[in-house]
Amino acid sequence: MRVSARRVLTGLLILGGISTLTQFLRFCLPCRQPSQGAGEPVTVLVRDGWRVSSDIPLVFVGGVPRSGTTLMRAMLDAHPAVRCGEETRVVPRILGLKLGWAAEKEGVSTKVLDRAVTAFLLQIIAGHGEPAPLLCNKDPFTLKSAKYLAHLFPNSKFLLMLRDGRAAVYSMISRRVTIGGFDLSSYRDCLAKWSRATQAMLTQCTQVGSKRCLAVRYERLVLHPRSTLQTVLKFLGLPWHEGVLHHEEAIGKPGGVSLSKTERSTDQVMRPVNLDALTRWVGHMPPDVMADMDAIAPMLGRLGYDPKANPPNYGQPDPQFLNNTQRLLRGDFKTPVASLHLNGRPLMSMKGSQTER
Amino acid sequence: MRGQKVSMLLGCALLCSASLLYLGLSGIDCPPPDHAHRHTWADAHLGSTNQSQASPIYYGEDTPLIFIGGFPRSGTTLMRAMLDAHNAVRCGEETRVIPRLLAMRATWSRSARERVRLDEAGVTDQVLDSAVRAFLLEVIIGHGEPAARLCNKDPFALKSLSYLARIFPQAKFVLMLRDGRATVHSMISRKVTISGFDLTSYRDCLTKWSRAMEGMYSQCQGAPEGSCLPVRYEHLVLHPEEEMRKLLSFLGLPWDPAVLHHEDLIGKAGGVSLSKVERSTDQVVNPVNTDALSKWVGHIPSDVLREMDDIAPMLARLGYDPLANPPDYTRPDPIIAPNNYTLLQRTEILHPS
């Protein structure tokens, strides 16, 4: 090909055209957001000299209320390397607020809003208790936002407590534990809501992935505490500590288990791990609900809890811990709630203390 | 010759479609947005683009923030735009999330029962305040360009003025005041929705304006000495230099003539960033002017005019004659100090003879 001025001109025009097209495409085609990992972690000053960043290892414990979330966090609290502490109540609220904001067009960018939420959460989670190598937060409904939390805290892990919905619902109704959105006068309503909430949380857990989210069965935890906790601690990358099997001995102790006078599970979790609550629900389900059980709460069947069995076979207990339940039934740990004391102060029963969602 | 041309064109077409396909599939990195450049806090603190600082400085409770607010349609955007023109200050657009967080925080502390539950959980006032502070700082810092003096304008944030003064002891507050009749006329005629306000009723809006102003104004007066400055919109547009000199002195900032010509710095780096969705943007692109001062006259229903003082008692308290349509804004009545108000006869104030 002869190189002529005309050809050069044509060539230049074509190149010019391509580059214009590319620039035009930059605006038309959806562009990739620069990777979030490139941003600096959010750092907050909690107390004198104690700084915490968003890249610290964190564990979020949650699930539908009355599924053993308090037991799990109490057992973890008994581990010297972990501190969960009480339900903060405000963590789910700020997450709910943020959810409402994402929908509208706000004055701040998503990135800035995420950093602000991260800073807020860090201050609450770190600030409401003592320091520990692994900080932990237990507010049951946070697992509905597991994916978002996993994005804000890149080194966070999640423990999703699962339980037979019939047991969870019996517990909330018989103990009158107010939970936003659950109609405590209707087993049907509560079971349906349980099923939907469980499904939502399980979906989030699956999306976060098995390396970061572990589902734990309440029944398995109380029947086989040693092996279940071994799995949990391995998942969290923590060494074994015998103390997790005797959390009741660490209550109120420094570095141990801090309980709230106003939380609804406190009186139960002051006792050693036991089977007392496993099958209490049997005989309390209304017959019409029992007949429609699978339709009302499809998650029961999907999780392997036979909707027609009352109760299903949850498994055989470890003999070591069977002793706890026998002692419990004998009345060893029974104290009237009115005289239960915590840190020398009486345990008031706060009527209708609502679990935050 | 022709064949070569055709094959060359074909080759180009193939190249073009191949690159299109590649770009479409692999995606192009988004160009970094002007605002959210992840600047180090050191830059912001020094107010320069010098990247010499190695470790970031942490903003904390001693940050000398500036909070501008007041009732919407009271000149809050004009005020922040003029301050934005100052070389040391950056306010930026309304964040909209700050007032919501503050409102949520207020509800938590209102219920005694909730306070007990939170305390039991270790979520004390101190912990909550640290969390709110951290949230606010992240938003205010990340919201725009770095500056030596950071500022925030969300009108209703000043409903929590006392709280903000407590968690940011070095902060300064600028409360915009304006004749409620002008404010409400602006809201209604421009259809600026504010939750809880019935835009079909001057009576409703004026009543609510008065109540809201009472809350914010009393917090401003109750704030630590020298931390809150009320600024009249009317005086700002009639005597901008005088007002801005007073304001900058109050804020501890040097004089910068640029504040009198904010319209020259719109969209410029270090200048005034405007929001496409905010309702005052079309007005604030203009230089300071007195156009909006008395536009409300003749628009308020006569029954409301007659009962004006009862409907909106804050008018008189703030020095706006409720029976004058309009008052002479060039000669403003002094704001009545709270202890004097109850002693003096109302008629004496309104019609001094």
Side-chain angles (χ1 to χ4, degrees):
Chain A
M1 242 192 329
R2 279 172 303 147
V3 181
S4 73
R6 188 150 161 259
R7 286 238 167 79
V8 170
L9 203 67
T10 323
L12 281 171
L13 271 170
I14 292 168
L15 278 170
I18 293 174
S19 67
T20 324
L21 193 67
T22 320
Q23 286 309 310
F24 178 69
L25 283 174
R26 279 196 100 175
F27 290 103
C28 284
L29 288 177
C31 58
R32 259 201 320 251
Q33 285 296 337
S35 59
Q36 294 297 335
E40 294 163 19
V42 177
T43 306
V44 297
L45 175 65
V46 182
R47 292 195 275 272
D48 304 296
W50 183 26
R51 291 210 155 87
V52 174
S53 291
S54 54
D55 55 4
I56 55 163
L58 263 181
V59 54
F60 291 92
V61 179
V64 177
R66 319 311 302 155
S67 301
T69 55
T70 309
L71 176 62
M72 174 54 87
R73 80 91 171 160
M75 294 169 108
L76 283 177
D77 265 332
H79 194 294
V82 187
R83 189 271 289 157
C84 304
E86 304 83 341
E87 289 178 10
T88 68
R89 307 176 63 80
V90 300
V91 166
R93 285 175 197 161
I94 193 113
L95 289 173
L97 206 56
K98 159 64 174 71
L99 220 68
W101 289 335
E104 292 177 68
K105 190 174 189 308
E106 292 302 337
V108 291
S109 69
T110 311
K111 191 158 174 218
V112 170
L113 196 54
D114 286 348
R115 290 185 67 89
V117 171
T118 306
F120 186 97
L121 293 176
L122 273 176
Q123 282 286 7
I124 300 286
I125 295 172
H128 87 117
E130 294 308 305
L134 176 61
L135 290 179
C136 149
N137 169 250
K138 195 275 277 190
D139 279 286
F141 281 111
T142 54
L143 273 263
K144 280 185 107 176
S145 310
K147 221 173 135 197
Y148 179 58
L149 288 167
H151 161 70
L152 297 182
F153 300 103
N155 289 318
S156 57
K157 292 196 177 164
F158 302 83
L159 288 171
L160 173 61
M161 294 305 296
L162 297 173
R163 188 184 186 188
D164 188 324
R166 293 164 290 192
V169 165
Y170 170 70
S171 172
M172 60 179 80
I173 290 180
S174 63
R175 291 171 169 264
R176 286 188 272 271
V177 181
T178 358
I179 299 166
F182 283 66
D183 176 5
L184 293 187
S185 63
S186 160
Y187 270 91
R188 189 176 283 261
D189 177 82
C190 288
L191 278 161
K193 300 257 163 75
W194 168 88
S195 191
R196 241 173 279 150
T198 303
Q199 184 174 26
M201 293 191 202
L202 203 52
T203 308
Q204 291 272 315
C205 193
T206 316
Q207 286 176 342
V208 168
S210 57
K211 284 206 176 61
R212 295 181 67 183
C213 185
L214 178 73
V216 179
R217 304 286 178 124
Y218 167 78
E219 293 83 8
R220 213 182 138 235
L221 178 64
V222 297
L223 286 166
H224 312 287
R226 184 179 292 275
S227 64
T228 309
L229 285 169
Q230 273 168 347
T231 310
V232 169
L233 291 178
K234 184 154 170 246
F235 166 75
L236 294 175
L238 290 170
W240 176 256
H241 192 272
E242 200 67 17
V244 301
L245 294 176
H246 305 283
H247 73 276
E248 71 281 3
E249 289 166 19
I251 290 174
K253 304 245 168 70
V257 186
S258 179
L259 296 177
S260 158
K261 292 202 300 276
T262 57
E263 273 185 44
R264 303 309 299 277
S265 295
T266 294
D267 60 309
Q268 292 170 288
V269 108
M270 285 175 77
R271 305 183 183 121
V273 59
N274 63 81
L275 308 170
D276 200 29
L278 256 187
T279 52
R280 255 200 233 134
W281 62 270
V282 180
H284 286 96
M285 301 284 127
D288 64 304
V289 173
M290 287 209 303
D292 294 337
M293 191 59 75
D294 196 33
I296 296 170
M299 282 311 286
L300 275 177
R302 270 188 238 148
L303 289 176
Y305 298 108
D306 184 349
K308 294 261 167 278
N310 300 286
N313 178 14
Y314 294 128
Q316 289 309 305
D318 281 348
Q320 179 188 5
F321 294 92
L322 200 56
N323 197 24
N324 286 349
T325 312
Q326 286 170 346
R327 291 180 63 196
L328 201 96
L329 293 171
R330 265 209 312 268
D332 273 11
F333 304 108
K334 201 169 187 182
T335 359
V337 177
S339 66
L340 266 175
H341 280 63
L342 241 180
N343 303 329
R345 287 168 298 161
L347 230 180
M348 321 165 328
S349 68
M350 298 284 283
K351 217 177 87 171
S353 168
Q354 181 157 327
T355 305
E356 290 311 312
R357 59 174 312 150
Chain B
M1 180 91 147
R2 194 147 179 228
Q4 273 183 333
K5 223 181 181 175
V6 169
S7 50
M8 204 175 92
L9 277 167
L10 265 170
C12 278
L14 273 168
L15 198 71
C16 281
S17 30
S19 10
L20 263 171
L21 210 69
Y22 171 71
L23 286 170
L25 288 174
S26 69
I28 317 153
D29 270 331
C30 296
D34 290 326
H35 272 188
H37 246 304
R38 203 54 212 143
H39 53 270
T40 64
W41 288 344
D43 296 344
H45 189 77
L46 295 172
S48 68
T49 50
N50 193 346
Q51 304 254 350
S52 58
Q53 199 89 1
S55 58
I57 296 165
Y58 296 98
Y59 283 84
E61 61 178 13
D62 285 330
T63 315
L65 294 168
I66 302 170
F67 288 97
I68 301 172
F71 200 88
R73 322 308 306 155
S74 301
T76 55
T77 308
L78 175 63
M79 173 54 85
R80 78 92 172 161
M82 292 171 87
L83 271 181
D84 260 331
H86 193 291
N87 55 39
V89 184
R90 188 269 290 156
C91 304
E93 302 84 331
E94 287 174 13
T95 67
R96 297 169 65 167
V97 301
I98 286 179
R100 294 209 211 146
L101 179 75
L102 290 171
M104 205 169 69
R105 171 74 179 96
T107 59
W108 297 340
S109 28
R110 260 201 290 273
S111 158
R113 235 162 142 202
E114 185 58 23
R115 275 205 307 273
V116 172
R117 292 194 192 119
L118 290 172
D119 269 346
E120 272 296 307
V123 182
T124 59
D125 274 340
Q126 191 193 36
V127 172
L128 279 173
D129 291 348
S130 298
V132 171
R133 223 183 346 247
F135 183 98
L136 293 181
L137 284 170
E138 278 291 337
V139 170
I140 294 171
I141 292 168
H143 183 47
E145 295 176 313
R149 239 5 226 290
L150 292 174
C151 147
N152 166 253
K153 194 275 279 192
D154 278 287
F156 280 137
L158 294 201
K159 279 185 163 179
S160 300
L161 204 158
S162 307
Y163 179 66
L164 286 168
R166 217 169 55 234
I167 65 174
F168 290 110
Q170 303 302 318
K172 299 246 178 198
F173 302 88
V174 180
L175 178 65
M176 293 306 295
L177 304 177
R178 190 184 185 188
D179 189 324
R181 293 163 290 192
T183 297
V184 166
H185 172 70
S186 172
M187 257 176 74
I188 291 180
S189 63
R190 288 170 172 267
K191 296 197 244 289
V192 179
T193 26
I194 298 172
S195 150
F197 284 70
D198 176 7
L199 290 188
T200 61
S201 160
Y202 271 89
R203 185 181 289 262
D204 178 77
C205 290
L206 278 160
T207 310
K208 299 212 169 109
W209 167 87
S210 190
R211 240 179 266 151
M213 279 321 294
E214 188 176 13
M216 289 193 274
Y217 189 65
S218 56
Q219 290 186 66
C220 185
Q221 290 181 308
E225 183 96 35
S227 65
C228 184
L229 181 74
V231 174
R232 282 185 203 272
Y233 166 77
E234 294 83 6
H235 210 247
L236 179 66
V237 298
L238 285 166
H239 308 284
E241 178 159 355
E242 187 186 315
E243 276 303 304
M244 288 310 287
R245 280 194 185 273
K246 195 170 100 184
L247 175 69
L248 292 177
S249 162
F250 163 76
L251 294 174
L253 288 167
W255 174 249
D256 183 352
V259 301
L260 298 179
H261 299 283
H262 71 276
E263 70 280 4
D264 294 336
L265 287 164
I266 290 173
K268 303 242 170 75
V272 186
S273 177
L274 295 178
S275 155
K276 289 196 247 335
V277 300
E278 274 181 41
R279 304 307 300 277
S280 294
T281 296
D282 62 313
Q283 293 171 285
V284 109
V285 291
N286 300 316
V288 179
N289 63 79
T290 56
D291 287 356
L293 268 184
S294 311
K295 268 207 204 122
W296 60 272
V297 180
H299 284 97
I300 300 186
S302 40
D303 63 310
V304 177
L305 283 178
R306 269 193 307 264
E307 296 164 53
M308 190 59 74
D309 194 33
D310 290 320
I311 293 171
M314 278 310 282
L315 276 176
R317 272 188 64 189
L318 293 176
Y320 298 106
D321 185 345
L323 295 174
N325 299 288
D328 181 1
Y329 292 125
T330 62
R331 250 190 3 94
D333 292 322
I335 294 175
I336 296 164
N339 35 336
N340 291 341
Y341 184 65
T342 47
L343 292 172
L344 293 168
Q345 285 289 336
R346 304 247 296 248
T347 45
E348 276 185 341
I349 301 165
L350 300 175
H351 305 288
S353 44

